[in-house]
Structures are given as structure tokens and as C-alpha cells.
Amino acid sequence: MENKKMYLKKIIIVLIVFIGFKVPAQNSQDSVYIGVPINLKWSERMALSIMKRHPNAYQIDEQKEPKWDYVHGLVLLSMEKLYKENNQIKYYNYIKSYADATIDDKGEVKSYKFENYNIDMITAGRILFNLYQTTKEERYLSVIKLLRKQLEEQPRTNSGGFWHKKAYPNQMWLDGIYMGEPFYAQYTVQFENGENLNDIAKQFELIQFHATDKKTGLLYHGWDESKQMAWADKNSGCSPNFWSRSIGWYMMALVDVLDYFPKNHSKQKELVTYLNKIAKSVTKFQDNSGLWYQVTDKGSKEGNYLESSGSSMFAYALAKGVNKGYLPKKYREVANKAFDGLTTKLIKTEIDGEIHITQACAVAGLGGKPYRDGSYSYYVNERKKDDDPKATGAFILAALELNR
């Protein structure tokens, strides 16, 4: 009898893993998954795992209260793409629940501080375009316009580049290109007849010109036009190292912004050229595992490690670049090799099918308090975090582009 019970338990576990186990959710149009079926594509397995860990979308990144933030923007954008592919309403509802938790009935976002001019805060606004289109709720449009107003007033370098934030004067970071430009491109195409596409291209031109290393072809994490920051090279103004995730942000920004540049636009080919240059350079530093190291060019130097968020971003940008015809088809092999490395080396699976992505750098920046000097030691000693949203969101995007 005891053996029979054990056998039945095993059968139940197998069924949960393979087909998922649903329970009704209160006030929901769908069900909440307790288990995550392993026969689904990787994109959906990761999305369901995130939703299992964080039943409310604002809880992503272990938040206790609703917070307007770029990490939620990245993850929910990936779920928006997933929803558009499989039309499962639970993903749309999850995205909407975040917007509704952070935006009140008057269209105000309590956790957003306009006066900080923090370009990170722009990217979550990308989820509002589709929400406004499908609901016509004016509060979503109000926030979209508020974020556009921030970009209008965003402090700039003397050469015309957006500061990363008010607290970081004269600095452009690769991260900030992703945070601001795809939203800006979508807005100017939908509401301004594309009149500011040249300004968007200018942001890439400045980074490409000032932050590219002539020897490796890689881009440095940050550039200080004033050359006043302690981390800035006194000749170039660049930070001292290559951080894979920052380059990943830049590559994702390129492929996402190109969605809004018509082929006959004078700057479209220029942006495609930038993408080809960085794709070629990044591929040179891909490890045999398919992954990339935290500090891109330093390989297995002591302390360096194979990092999941940057590797996922590279896989996404390369795959999308091929799919859109911007990159040669050979880069699809590079992206697939990266994805194989992620799934075989950095993904862990629970008994109920829930998946986790490991070895993600939790956060990295330049300057600030305590001071971040951009040194090799700084990057490799920043905290690692499993299931960091910069990794999970990029992983979903990569899985979708590769149809894995």
C-alpha cells in the first residue's frame, strides 16, 4: 500500500510538470499556474516562472510596493511580445496590472520623480502604447506624454547627448541609450510624424564616436564629455572597462529603435552599420560555452564569470538583427550557441517545472555614493543575483526571436 501511494505521488508530480497545475485566481480572467509545464517553449516557461514567483507584476525584483522602474519595463515588454505571439490574455492582464498598480485614476505615477531627469524611468513607458491603444484610457496617454516631456527637458551634453540623469552631469551611458531611445522613437513615429528620428540617431552617433575602442571595437560603459569624473579617461572621457550588459543594452537599443526607422530614412543605414560593427566585435569575445563574461574582454581572468543578462541581451539583439535583415545569417548561429549556453549552464529547473536563471550581475554603474570607479575589480565584485529581471526579460526576448 505504501509503495502504491509513493507511485501515485510520482505520477502526480510528473503530470504537474508536464501539463501544469491550475487553480482559480480571484478577480482574474485566467488561472494561476502552480507548476510550469516543461513542454512549452522557453519564453513561456520563463514568463510563467516569473508570474509564479511574483503573482503581482509590481513584485518583480522583490519589490514590496508598486514602483515605476526600468526592470519592470524590460520584463513586461518581453511579455507583451509573448502575448502578441500567442494571444494568451494572462500576459496582457499581468502587464496591465503593473500599469494599474503604479498609475492612479488621474494619470499620476506616485513613485516617479520628474525632477530627477533619470532616463532609466522612460523605458517602462513603452508598455503604455499598447495599453492605450487597446483601452483608450486617457491616464495611460497622460503618462506617455509626461515621459515625452521629460525627454524634451532632459539635460544634454554640449554636443547634444542626453545626460544619464540630473545627478550625473555631462555623462552618457550605454544603458541610457536603451532606456530612452526606443520609447522616443515609438513616440515620435506615432505622435510626431517621425520628426525627431534624427535626434534619436544623434544619440547613437555620439556614443559610437566617443565610446568605441579602436582596438577591440567594443564600447565602454560610459562617456563623460567634461572628462571631470574620476572614472573618466582624461583624453577620451571614457570609463576604463567593457561591461557586457551595458553593451547588451546598446545592441538591444539598436534593434528596437530600427523598428521605427523607415528603410529610406537617411540615418537607417548608419544605425544598421553600427549594429554590424558591434556584432562583429562582440562575437570575437564569445566563450566556447556560447556565453560572455561579465567584463567582456577579460575572459577567465581571476574573478571574471560567465554572466547571464549580457549573454541573453546579445542573443536577443543578434537574433533579431538577423530576423529583420540587418545582420548576416551567420549571427543566428552565434545567438543559438549563446542560448544553448544559457539553457545548459545557467538555467536551473525545479521539480514543478519552474525555471531560474543564475549568474546575473545585480547592478553596476559609475560614480555615485558609494563611488563606483568602473575598475575590473568593481565589476567582478558586484553582487550576483538569480532571476534578476535584466536577465529574465532579455532571456524571454531571445527565446522569442530564436523560436526556442
Side-chain angles (χ1 to χ4, degrees), residues 317-341:
L318 293 171
K320 184 174 179 179
V322 173
N323 291 343
K324 292 285 188 176
Y326 310 137
L327 293 174
K329 291 181 180 179
K330 65 181 180 181
Y331 287 108
R332 190 172 184 86
E333 295 176 19
V334 179
N336 268 313
K337 184 178 179 181
F339 201 80
D340 288 341

Side-chain angles (χ1 to χ4, degrees), residues 385-398:
K385 180 184 174 187
D386 289 355
D387 298 322
D388 188 275
K390 280 88 74 181
T392 59
F395 179 87
I396 292 171
L397 291 171

Side-chain angles (χ1 to χ4, degrees), residues 109-119 121-122 143 145-155 166:
V109 185
K110 295 283 197 293
S111 56
Y112 163 74
K113 305 297 181 189
F114 183 94
E115 63 275 12
N116 290 346
Y117 292 102
N118 181 352
I119 208 162
M121 297 300 103
I122 301 294
V143 178
K145 288 183 174 179
L146 179 66
L147 295 172
R148 176 65 183 95
K149 186 172 186 286
Q150 180 190 319
L151 286 176
E152 187 68 30
E153 299 179 14
Q154 188 79 7
K166 187 177 179 180

Side-chain angles (χ1 to χ4, degrees), residues 68-74 76-77 80 95 98-99 102-103 109 112 119-132 140-141 143-148 178-180 182-184 186-187 190-191:
W68 188 258
D69 201 7
Y70 73 95
V71 297
H72 298 78
L74 174 62
L76 297 176
L77 276 167
E80 182 181 295
I95 296 161
Y98 175 73
T102 51
I103 303 169
V109 185
Y112 163 74
I119 208 162
D120 287 342
M121 297 300 103
I122 301 294
T123 200
R126 292 173 68 189
I127 68 170
L128 301 180
F129 289 100
N130 187 60
L131 288 176
Y132 175 65
Y140 298 145
L141 182 60
V143 178
I144 290 171
K145 288 183 174 179
L146 179 66
L147 295 172
R148 176 65 183 95
Y178 178 83
M179 302 304 163
F183 172 91
Y184 192 6
Q186 188 168 0
Y187 187 97
Q190 290 192 16
F191 297 103

Side-chain angles (χ1 to χ4, degrees), residues 38 114 173 202:
I38 65 171
F114 183 94
W173 297 6
K202 185 178 184 65

Side-chain angles (χ1 to χ4, degrees), residues 286-299:
Q286 186 177 31
D287 182 69
N288 288 335
S289 65
L291 303 170
W292 280 266
Y293 281 90
Q294 164 78 340
V295 180
T296 320
D297 65 328
K298 294 294 190 275

Side-chain angles (χ1 to χ4, degrees), residues 89-100:
I89 195 69
K90 61 174 165 277
Y91 300 119
Y92 176 89
N93 288 342
Y94 193 69
I95 296 161
K96 189 174 184 299
S97 75
Y98 175 73
D100 294 347

